[in-house]
Every structure is written in C-alpha cells, then in structure tokens.
Amino acid sequence: MDWDAGSDNLEETLGRALRLLESAVHHHRRSALASASAELPVAGEAVAGWVARLVLRAERDVIWTLPEVAGDEHARLVAQTLAQLTGKGVRTRMLCPPGVIRGAAWQRSVGTVAELEVRVCEGVRQELVVVDGAAVIAPETSPGDPGGSRASMIQNSTVADMLHQLLCGMWDTAQRPMRPLSFEGGARGRVLREVLTLMAEGYKDDAAARKLGLSVRTYRRYVADIMRDLKVESRFQAGVRAVRAGLMEADPEEG
C-alpha cells in the first residue's frame, strides 16, 4: 500500500470535511446543528477554559490537532490540561506539524506530559479537540492570539463521529516523531543536520568528513547514530525519513 498517497487522500478528505464544518458552524443558527452547537465566548482566556473543561470531561479518549504553538503561555495551558488526565486511563493523542514539536515552548511544556502520544503530520492546519468521539471544539485562532478568540462546540453525533474517524485515519498514517533530543539546537544538532544533508546528497564518507572538518571515524559515528535513531537500514532511507520528519530544516534559533 502506498502510505504517502493514503495520507494525502486522508488529508484532502479532512480538509474538505473541515471546510464543511466551518461553514456549518458559521451558519449554525440557520442549520440543523443549531440545537447541538454552541458558539463560545469572544475572550481568548474564556475559550481556553472551555477547551480545558471539555478535555477534562474525557473518560476514554482525547484526540487533539494542534497546528501551532503561539507561545509559552499557550503551550503551558495545553500542557496543564493534558497533565490533569495523566493516570486516569484516558488515551491522549496529539497530531501536529513537525515544526511544532521542535519548538522550545513545546519541549519545555507539552513535550514533558506523561502518557501523551504524539504523531507528526504536515496536513494539520486546523485546531480540533475531539473528546470520547462525541464532542468537538474548534477554536478559531488568529496570529498572536493563543487559545483563540472564538470557538464552536459541536455535539451533533454524526458530525463528531465523522471528524473522529477522519482524525483517527490521519493518526494511523502520521509519523511517530523522531527522537527530538538527538536533533535539538546547539552544536550537536547543527552537525547532525549537516551530516543528514550530506548523506542525502550522496557524499562519500571521506569527502563529507573533510567538508565538515571531522575525522572519517567521527563522521561514521554520527551516521551510525542517525541511522539507529531513525530506525532505518540505508543512508538514503535516513535522508527521506529525516526530510519527512522535518529534521533537515534550518535551526530556528539560527534564523
């Protein structure tokens, strides 16, 4: 099976479903969802509170798509909410683009939450929180506005079930994040990205080592570490997997 094609199809389907949902929410007063939808308060803090309360009602499962982390406060709110579910037997899953989990705000907060399962997917563009497959909250965010300025909660069982199934499908084809601490910022992270780039470009070991100012032995040790961490058997596979996981992008602290 072509998993990349499957993932693309799921993301396209999800995109269409989200556009339909957004339209339904926008016109909910005139739609069949009117009796089962609630437009939440305008204040960002109030919306964040609604999200937290919905998540904390979970008894079995939470699946959350997070397209961005707006800053330390946003990450802290998400982390605190999820941390309160730790040890309660609730499965918590987070889908986000690769760049999100590489951010410092994520690593200091959400990335430390015990029992949180994370997978990365470039197609995540809309924040959604689905709780026990029954209730959906869709914050509408704007730049620099962590937590959103408006949101809508959908309790219509058909819509909720559809979105839950779509997100579970995306989850099944999304990638597990590569060990982020091995590729974090700093000198080691920069060298690893440079080694990955040269591997992907097909450099011979001696030429790559000279280019980086390393001994061949040290260069090969980096290569072995990378292949072990990425769980691949060839250098070409390592390059492909690193690109998909976003590990070969420039260090954000260098920009």
Side-chain angles (χ1 to χ4, degrees):
M1 177 176 179
D2 188 338
W3 289 107
D4 289 338
S7 178
D8 290 343
N9 290 336
L10 280 167
E11 291 172 17
E12 182 180 349
T13 302
L14 178 63
R16 289 198 300 267
L18 292 181
R19 286 191 289 274
L20 287 172
L21 174 62
E22 290 165 1
S23 177
V25 168
H26 183 71
H27 299 289
H28 74 279
R29 290 185 178 87
R30 292 174 292 173
S31 74
L33 292 177
S35 62
S37 300
E39 194 161 305
L40 306 182
V42 172
E45 289 187 7
V47 170
W50 274 93
V51 174
R53 283 191 287 277
L54 178 68
V55 170
L56 293 176
R57 280 167 33 194
E59 297 179 355
R60 302 182 306 277
D61 177 80
V62 172
I63 184 164
W64 195 330
T65 63
L66 192 67
E68 65 175 348
V69 171
D72 285 330
E73 181 63 15
H74 185 202
R76 185 182 64 80
L77 288 171
V78 173
Q80 285 182 344
T81 301
L82 291 170
Q84 292 183 66
L85 293 177
T86 300
K88 295 185 177 181
V90 177
R91 185 184 186 188
T92 53
R93 292 178 285 176
M94 183 76 74
L95 269 168
C96 53
V100 169
I101 66 169
R102 296 199 310 274
W106 170 281
Q107 293 184 23
R108 284 194 296 266
S109 54
V110 186
T112 67
V113 176
E115 300 180 14
L116 175 63
E117 300 176 49
V118 180
R119 292 192 182 180
V120 293
C121 175
E122 290 287 1
V124 174
R125 297 182 179 87
Q126 166 73 48
E127 183 172 3
L128 288 171
V129 185
V130 181
V131 175
D132 291 337
V136 179
I137 194 164
E140 300 171 14
T141 60
S142 57
D145 183 16
S149 57
R150 299 182 70 83
S152 294
M153 184 164 65
I154 309 300
Q155 294 173 303
N156 179 283
S157 60
T158 301
V159 175
D161 183 65
M162 175 188 70
L163 285 170
H164 184 249
Q165 293 300 320
L166 284 167
L167 293 184
C168 287
M170 284 189 73
W171 175 266
D172 289 341
T173 58
Q175 300 220 358
R176 291 179 175 82
M178 305 308 168
R179 296 169 57 181
L181 292 179
S182 297
F183 297 89
E184 64 185 358
R188 177 175 171 78
R190 284 193 294 273
V191 172
L192 285 170
R193 281 192 295 275
E194 290 170 350
V195 170
L196 275 167
T197 299
L198 297 181
M199 287 170 62
E201 292 176 356
Y203 273 71
K204 300 292 186 181
D205 288 359
D206 55 350
R210 284 197 303 272
K211 189 175 180 67
L212 298 179
L214 303 172
S215 69
V216 174
R217 182 177 180 178
T218 298
Y219 176 81
R220 287 175 177 166
R221 187 171 66 245
Y222 277 122
V223 170
D225 288 346
I226 289 168
M227 293 178 65
R228 183 190 63 245
D229 287 356
L230 298 183
K231 297 180 175 62
V232 296
E233 297 180 357
S234 75
R235 298 183 180 203
F236 176 77
Q237 289 176 335
V240 171
R241 185 163 294 183
V243 168
R244 290 178 179 173
L247 296 176
M248 292 174 65
E249 296 177 6
D251 187 338
E253 296 181 0
E254 296 175 7

